[in-house]
Amino acid sequence: MTDKTCRIAVVIPKYGLAGGAEGFAAEVTERLAWNPRYEIHVLARKWKENSPGVTFRRIPRIPAPRFAAPLIFAWLVKRMISTGNYDLVHTHERIFEADLYTLHGVPHRFWVDEVRRKRRSLADYAIDWVEKRIMGKGRCRYYLAVSRLVKEKYLEVFPRLQPAAIEVIHPGIDPARFEKIGGALSRQGFRAARRIGDEEIVILFVSMNFEVKGLDALLSALALIKKEGPGRPFKLLVVGKGRSAGYERKARRLGISAEVIFTGIKDRQEIEEIYLASDIFVLPSLFDTFALVVLEAMAAGLPVVVSGNVGAGDLVCEGENGFVVGDPRDIFALKERILFLFDRDNRERMGQKAAKTAGENTWEGTCERIAAVYERILSGKEDA
């Protein structure tokens, strides 16, 4: 293998903008761009500014019916790749073919039939058709899954795939972000501004989809705690976007409206302050391929309670840095795990181990593993 500069095409519709895949692509790509071995070209429709070392090529938008959009996107990317003289194509989106495909979600047919549980549309059939192409009929032979959960679902839907073809590489974290937070004074200030007492346990829930991420179950579990254990003061911080009015009514019906605070959407700096002001992080999601907020909470020193349907559960050591509740609707199991963490000693011990786990899962480590896959692919091409 030579040391020549290799042209890498990275495909993502919205680079570095809102969303897990978009953020993952930007975090990894910009770090890899510092390597003089790689000349990075991002093929995208939209992108964030200030991405040093990255060259952008805009994927045009052609007006078309919704069902045709996945096919047109894949066709446009194929045409752009054919003229780019790239040594390696790494896609974060379903296209016709690539050398490497990062699997951020689950197979589309599984999502429609088992998670969304709705009748398939023409657009669903188009997405499924493109996905079948890249999952076995094209040249792609390397796949990266963001969690074991994602890998398992792809092997179920595409049984001809060999398990060795899919490598699990988790998203990372930047621990330095949380080392810069303002410490005890910032925690006290946040809690005082919201009239949260020093003795109150603050449970944090962060989501942009309250229904899918299990807020119903969490409210019910906390209602049990209040009913069965008077004298255990707590507050629930609900951060993000959802149909909050319905959940506010449910909190009133359950008798815990005084304990629930809906903060709305917060920017990165604000959410970091909220992590610091909290004591426990809970996400009993019905389905989440990873959930980076879990790793962020761990980096801030919070023990976590997640469902068995959360991919970030890969990083949870039961009873060590958090808990995994198998059934996201099991409010009694959820209640018991949360109550265990009401004990200060348990909470602090597990929080320290959560922070250690997060420190071992950095973006730099993620990039090193992806670069190793790049070199494996490039070496195979040069040896061919």
Side-chain angles (χ1 to χ4, degrees), residues 305-378:
V305 182
V306 301
S307 78
N309 293 340
V310 175
D314 288 353
L315 306 179
V316 177
C317 297
E318 189 73 9
E320 294 293 321
N321 56 16
F323 294 103
V324 176
V325 176
D327 182 354
R329 296 183 176 88
D330 188 346
I331 62 174
F332 297 99
L334 196 58
K335 176 202 72 172
E336 292 301 322
R337 274 42 170 209
I338 295 171
L339 275 177
F340 182 85
L341 293 170
F342 270 30
D343 180 89
R344 181 185 295 273
D345 290 340
N346 293 337
R347 194 167 63 247
E348 291 182 352
R349 170 179 57 82
M350 295 176 69
Q352 290 172 1
K353 291 186 177 180
K356 183 176 184 295
T357 298
E360 295 167 351
N361 288 270
T362 65
W363 281 118
E364 284 71 21
T366 299
C367 287
E368 287 178 8
R369 295 185 63 190
I370 292 176
V373 178
Y374 279 13
E375 293 305 320
R376 200 182 313 155
I377 296 170
L378 292 168

Side-chain angles (χ1 to χ4, degrees), residues 121-138:
S121 66
L122 288 175
D124 291 324
Y125 283 108
I127 294 170
D128 188 42
W129 188 79
V130 174
E131 187 169 60
K132 287 178 180 176
R133 291 285 300 273
I134 196 167
M135 296 307 298
K137 295 184 178 180

Side-chain angles (χ1 to χ4, degrees), residues 113-311:
D113 296 342
E114 302 298 330
V115 181
R116 198 176 71 184
R117 294 183 181 273
K118 292 185 178 180
R119 186 176 181 179
R120 295 188 190 184
S121 66
L122 288 175
D124 291 324
Y125 283 108
I127 294 170
D128 188 42
W129 188 79
V130 174
E131 187 169 60
K132 287 178 180 176
R133 291 285 300 273
I134 196 167
M135 296 307 298
K137 295 184 178 180
R139 73 170 188 253
C140 193
R141 293 294 181 270
Y142 292 88
Y143 305 92
L144 305 180
V146 296
S147 67
R148 286 184 297 175
L149 179 64
V150 171
K151 178 174 181 175
E152 289 167 2
K153 297 307 176 187
Y154 267 94
L155 291 175
E156 286 177 13
V157 174
F158 297 97
R160 292 186 179 180
L161 279 176
Q162 295 298 314
I166 305 180
E167 182 175 348
V168 175
I169 299 182
H170 300 120
I173 196 72
D174 181 4
R177 281 175 50 196
F178 300 91
E179 294 170 359
K180 298 175 183 177
I181 301 177
L185 289 177
S186 178
R187 173 185 172 90
Q188 292 170 2
F190 180 92
R191 291 169 72 109
R194 288 152 184 82
R195 299 180 180 179
I196 301 173
D198 292 339
E199 75 286 355
E200 290 182 290
I201 304 299
V202 175
I203 300 137
L204 177 61
F205 172 91
V206 180
S207 168
M208 297 300 286
N209 187 328
F210 296 165
E211 182 179 3
V212 171
K213 301 305 174 73
L215 183 55
D216 273 305
L218 179 54
L219 291 174
S220 297
L222 293 178
L224 289 176
I225 290 174
K226 183 175 181 179
K227 181 179 179 180
E228 298 177 8
R232 293 167 172 162
F234 66 84
K235 283 289 191 294
L236 170 65
L237 296 181
V238 179
V239 180
K241 182 180 178 181
R243 298 176 181 176
S244 57
Y247 291 99
E248 289 172 355
R249 289 193 295 270
K250 176 163 185 171
R252 287 195 295 271
R253 289 197 304 270
L254 292 171
I256 58 171
S257 59
E259 284 79 16
V260 182
I261 301 173
F262 290 85
T263 72
I265 299 173
K266 298 296 181 181
D267 62 26
R268 172 176 284 195
Q269 181 176 347
E270 290 174 313
I271 189 64
E272 289 171 356
E273 293 176 353
I274 292 173
Y275 284 131
L276 182 66
S278 303
D279 299 296
I280 306 166
F281 182 86
V282 183
L283 191 72
S285 182
L286 299 179
F287 200 87
D288 212 317
T289 54
F290 187 77
L292 187 59
V293 288
V294 176
L295 186 53
E296 290 179 342
M298 295 173 79
L302 300 184
V304 299
V305 182
V306 301
S307 78
N309 293 340
V310 175

